[in-house]
């Protein structure tokens, strides 16, 4: 993997219309009107079918979970409802657009194993398209104006996903988080920290440029990952039996369990994946993309849509835990810990 | 993927450190231990102490309070909008300083001017002009933004109170302004 490539690089971009109150302070008619203007602009863009537009209230909880798991919808927007809230998908998931969430416009783009600058380039072009429909709230000093003052400026939040279970179990994560804060960055957990997955992101959007934000977040994430590799080596060198025991037990559960929560599955896949990177588990096919795809596949929304299909019983369907365990049993069948 | 943590709303917890009770809380500390998650709002020193004491499988990480200093910081007495701290209100959207302190959210573009003194020192912000991308076409002036937002609010209130004749006049004025600032003009 190229040094600047990230496990997952995600970018979010916030914008507002100058002459409409921000969503939480605007009336429904204003929000419906804005969503209509944006929808019209998207429909006129590019090839037919390039954009799929939805009213959020028409998107089911399972579909919302699926979109959140793919990085195409934010968790907070997935909990929104009401007239004027809209959602649009670009090129089957290359990017997406939340309309009238925290801000009028919230563009999202993610790349697995890619660069933040690539995700930004896609959003930059969509941003220009949306601007053909609405006049952005902008101030020469503040930059783009947003509901949350901390987002004002570029309106860009860049997120680099890092897999750092070694730093987590060795108790170094607090120090890493405080160090990132001193650099103007934030460390926040994915899946409530299960499996040691976190995201490094910028906390301020002012007095900097979009590409500089991308570079800063990328550099910090790479440094954290480098420290993680060093800690993993140290742990394995100093405690080889404990490390092998932890990974071997995780593999055993993954191969034998018949019911499993999403959090447990993330932790197990994480442990086995670490085992592959340090040569403890013989599964060379489990690279970054494969591990991330497996973790996504066992999330509730994906299980409901892809595995249970039309007959699913929603996100509380008791069969989800059973299907999740089956997938891990099948995936790791025959995989062994190196002796 | 986007974390929920990235959308953490500041200002909902106490603004004083929950540990020492003395310093302003500037760091949101989230602790994951044995599968349970706890949240604390601490000053930098106490947050550092907590991370130093974190060992083994327990985990501590921290998010900065994005509105650090917003409420604690006093605006100069010369602020033109200021009748009293809690009575400060945006005349365009109706957002008050209390609303802002509770939700952490501004209500419209004009709020940036109204609450300017309180927004200095927002976490992550730096002094100086905007350095990133700028709108492709010239943004409309702050005065026009304010006027449109003000007229829209007035229109809503007039319709609500069934003063339709006056509302029609406001609507016509809005239409005039919209023609002037329409995209592509």
């Amino acid at each position: 993997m190229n040094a600047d490539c990230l496990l997952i690089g995600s970018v979010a971009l916030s914008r507002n219309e100058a002459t409409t109150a921000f969503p939480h302070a605007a009336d429904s008619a204003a929000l419906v009107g804005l969503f209509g203007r944006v929808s019209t602009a998207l429909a006129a863009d590019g090839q037919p079918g390039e954009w799929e537009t939805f009213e959020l209230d028409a998107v089911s909880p399972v579909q919302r979970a699926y979109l959140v798991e793919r990085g195409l919808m934010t968790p907070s927007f997935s909990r929104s409802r009401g007239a004027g809230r809209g959602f649009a998908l670009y090129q089957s998931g290359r990017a997406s657009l939340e309309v009238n969430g925290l801000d009028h416009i919230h563009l999202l783009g993610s790349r697995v194993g890619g660069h933040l600058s690539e995700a930004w380039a896609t959003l930059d072009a969509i941003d220009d398209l949306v601007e053909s429909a609405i006049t952005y709230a902008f101030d020469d000093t503040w930059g783009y104006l947003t509901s949350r003052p901390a987002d004002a400026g570029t309106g860009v939040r860049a997120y680099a996903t890092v897999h750092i279970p070694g730093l987590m179990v060795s108790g170094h994560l607090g120090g890493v988080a405080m160090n990132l804060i001193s650099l103007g960055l934030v460390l926040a957990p994915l899946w409530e920290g299960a499996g040691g997955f976190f995201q490094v992101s910028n906390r301020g959007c002012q007095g900097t440029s979009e590409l500089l934000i991308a570079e800063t977040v990328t550099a910090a994430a790479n440094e954290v990952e480098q420290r993680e590799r060093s800690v993993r080596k140290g742990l394995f060198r100093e405690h080889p039996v404990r490390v092998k025991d932890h990974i071997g037990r995780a593999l055993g559960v993954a191969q034998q369990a018949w019911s499993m929560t999403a959090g447990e599955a993330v932790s197990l896949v994480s442990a086995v994946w670490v085992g592959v990177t340090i040569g403890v588990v013989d599964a060379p096919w489990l690279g970054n993309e494969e591990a991330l795809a497996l973790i996504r596949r066992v999330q509730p929304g994906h299980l409901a849509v892809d595995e249970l299909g039309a007959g699913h019983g929603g996100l509380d369907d008791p069969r989800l835990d059973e299907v999740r365990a089956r997938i891990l049993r099948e995936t790791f069948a025959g995989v062994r810990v190196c002796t | 993927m986007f974390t929920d943590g990235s959308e953490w709303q500041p200002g909902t917890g106490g603004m004083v450190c929950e540990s020492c009770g003395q310093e302003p809380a500037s760091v949101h500390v989230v602790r994951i231990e044995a599968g349970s998650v706890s949240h604390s709002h601490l000053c930098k020193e106490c947050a550092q102490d907590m991370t130093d004491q974190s060992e083994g499988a327990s985990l501590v990480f921290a998010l900065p309070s994005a509105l650090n200093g917003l409420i604690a910081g006093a605006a100069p007495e010369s602020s033109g909008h200021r009748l009293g701290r809690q009575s400060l209100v945006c005349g365009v959207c109706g957002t008050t300083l209390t609303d802002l302190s509770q939700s952490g959210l501004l209500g419209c573009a004009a709020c940036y001017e109204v609450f300017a003194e309180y927004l200095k020192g927002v976490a992550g912000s730096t002094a100086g002009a905007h350095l990133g991308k700028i709108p492709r076409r010239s943004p409309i002036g702050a005065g026009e933004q304010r006027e449109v937002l003000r007229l829209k609010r007035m229109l809503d209130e007039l319709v609500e109170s069934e003063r339709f004749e006056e509302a029609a006049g406001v609507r016509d004025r809005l239409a005039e302004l919209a023609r002037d600032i329409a995209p592509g003009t």
Side-chain angles (χ1 to χ4, degrees):
Chain A
M1 191 167 75
N2 182 301
D4 289 333
C5 283
L6 298 166
L7 216 49
I8 307 174
S10 308
V11 178
L13 178 67
S14 302
R15 298 282 190 257
N16 285 286
E17 186 173 48
T19 55
T20 300
F22 299 157
H24 73 95
D27 58 46
S28 296
L31 299 182
V32 169
L34 190 139
F35 179 45
R37 291 195 296 284
V38 172
S39 300
T40 303
L42 299 183
D45 176 54
Q47 301 298 315
E50 190 145 88
W51 285 96
E52 296 172 77
T53 309
F54 311 88
E55 287 181 18
L56 186 61
D57 284 350
V59 181
S60 73
V62 165
Q63 289 169 323
R64 293 181 193 209
Y66 186 91
L67 291 165
V68 169
E69 291 160 12
R70 298 195 79 83
L72 293 167
M73 186 180 281
T74 54
S76 64
F77 191 71
S78 75
R79 294 189 289 270
S80 301
R81 63 183 60 190
R85 267 77 187 179
F87 178 77
L89 204 58
Y90 177 61
Q91 292 184 349
S92 303
R94 188 170 169 78
S96 60
L97 168 59
E98 297 173 344
V99 183
N100 294 322
L102 193 58
D103 293 293
H104 292 143
I105 300 296
H106 197 220
L107 288 166
L108 307 173
S110 292
R111 295 287 178 277
V112 174
H115 299 262
L116 283 170
S117 55
E118 294 167 358
W120 159 246
T122 302
L123 299 196
D124 188 19
I126 297 172
D127 183 40
D128 292 342
L129 166 67
V130 175
E131 197 189 347
S132 69
I134 63 177
T135 303
Y136 284 148
F138 182 84
D139 174 88
D140 286 341
T141 302
W142 274 99
Y144 291 93
L145 305 179
T146 52
S147 292
R148 266 191 317 213
D151 291 335
T154 59
V156 167
R157 296 268 176 181
Y159 302 85
T161 299
V162 290
H163 181 219
I164 47 177
L167 289 168
M168 190 168 83
V169 299
S170 61
H172 288 103
L173 208 50
V176 170
M178 294 301 284
N179 187 41
L180 288 171
I181 284 180
S182 70
L183 297 171
L185 303 170
V186 174
L187 187 69
L190 271 177
W191 303 303
E192 297 197 328
F197 288 95
F198 289 81
Q199 282 188 328
V200 176
S201 66
N202 58 306
R203 66 178 166 116
C205 301
Q206 268 202 294
T208 185
S209 69
E210 295 80 4
L211 289 177
L212 195 55
I213 289 171
E215 283 174 21
T216 305
V217 170
T218 299
N222 283 331
E223 200 173 316
V224 171
E225 289 273 22
Q226 198 172 354
R227 194 164 167 205
E228 163 71 16
R229 284 192 287 274
S230 169
V231 166
R232 278 187 203 178
K233 279 182 190 169
L235 284 172
F236 190 41
R237 189 175 55 243
E238 291 167 25
H239 310 285
V241 173
R242 280 174 60 188
V243 170
K244 273 192 173 186
D245 182 65
H246 178 77
I247 292 170
R249 285 171 185 270
L251 180 60
V253 173
Q255 290 173 325
Q256 300 293 338
W258 283 76
S259 179
M260 189 180 294
T261 64
E264 185 182 11
V266 172
S267 297
L268 295 176
V269 173
S270 167
V272 176
W273 185 14
V274 169
V276 173
T277 65
I278 61 175
V280 167
V281 173
D282 183 21
W285 49 267
L286 190 67
N288 292 350
E289 285 191 31
E290 293 76 14
L292 290 169
L294 178 58
I295 286 172
R296 178 179 289 173
R297 188 181 166 202
V298 297
Q299 296 304 310
H302 277 68
L303 289 177
V305 172
D306 295 336
E307 304 294 331
L308 298 179
H312 71 73
L315 297 170
D316 296 323
D317 190 321
R319 292 175 296 171
L320 294 178
D321 287 353
E322 295 167 28
V323 174
R324 183 178 293 118
R326 174 178 58 75
I327 289 172
L328 289 203
R329 284 200 311 275
E330 291 171 355
T331 301
F332 292 116
V335 172
R336 302 184 67 83
V337 171
C338 303
T339 51
Chain B
M1 287 293 297
F2 295 89
T3 61
D4 240 355
S6 62
E7 295 137 31
W8 170 64
Q9 293 297 309
T12 51
M15 296 305 290
V16 176
C17 175
E18 293 169 12
S19 178
C20 67
Q22 302 290 321
E23 299 296 319
S26 60
V27 181
H28 176 205
V29 179
V30 185
R31 191 183 185 100
I32 300 176
E33 197 163 13
S36 67
V37 181
S38 63
H39 300 255
S40 320
H41 296 87
L42 305 176
C43 66
K44 198 170 179 184
E45 287 70 25
C46 290
Q48 189 67 59
D49 288 347
M50 183 179 273
T51 60
D52 291 345
Q53 290 161 14
S54 169
E55 291 179 355
S58 69
L59 157 69
V60 172
F61 58 92
L63 306 168
S65 173
L67 283 186
N68 179 28
L70 172 64
I71 303 305
E77 292 300 327
S78 60
S79 172
H81 300 274
R82 195 162 180 251
L83 300 174
R85 210 173 93 171
Q86 297 310 315
S87 63
L88 187 63
V89 58
C90 173
V92 173
C93 69
T95 296
T96 65
L97 183 59
T98 304
D99 294 336
L100 177 58
S101 67
Q102 288 175 347
S103 70
L105 301 177
L106 296 160
C108 69
C111 285
Y112 276 86
E113 195 178 327
V114 175
F115 301 109
E117 298 297 343
Y118 291 91
L119 297 176
K120 286 177 181 172
V122 167
S125 71
T126 53
H130 171 64
L131 295 179
K133 181 180 180 178
I134 58 172
R136 295 185 79 179
R137 49 170 201 277
S138 300
I140 61 173
E144 287 166 306
Q145 281 185 38
R146 264 199 312 276
E147 181 64 359
V148 172
L149 286 162
R150 188 185 68 80
L151 289 173
K152 281 184 173 178
R153 188 170 179 230
M154 188 188 296
L155 180 62
D156 289 344
E157 288 171 1
L158 289 172
V159 169
E160 203 166 305
S161 56
E162 301 184 352
R163 292 156 64 184
F164 299 115
E165 206 165 312
E166 292 166 82
V170 172
R171 193 190 54 220
D172 292 345
R173 174 68 186 130
L174 269 171
E176 270 175 44
L177 274 172
R179 274 195 299 276
D180 293 344
I181 62 178
T185 58

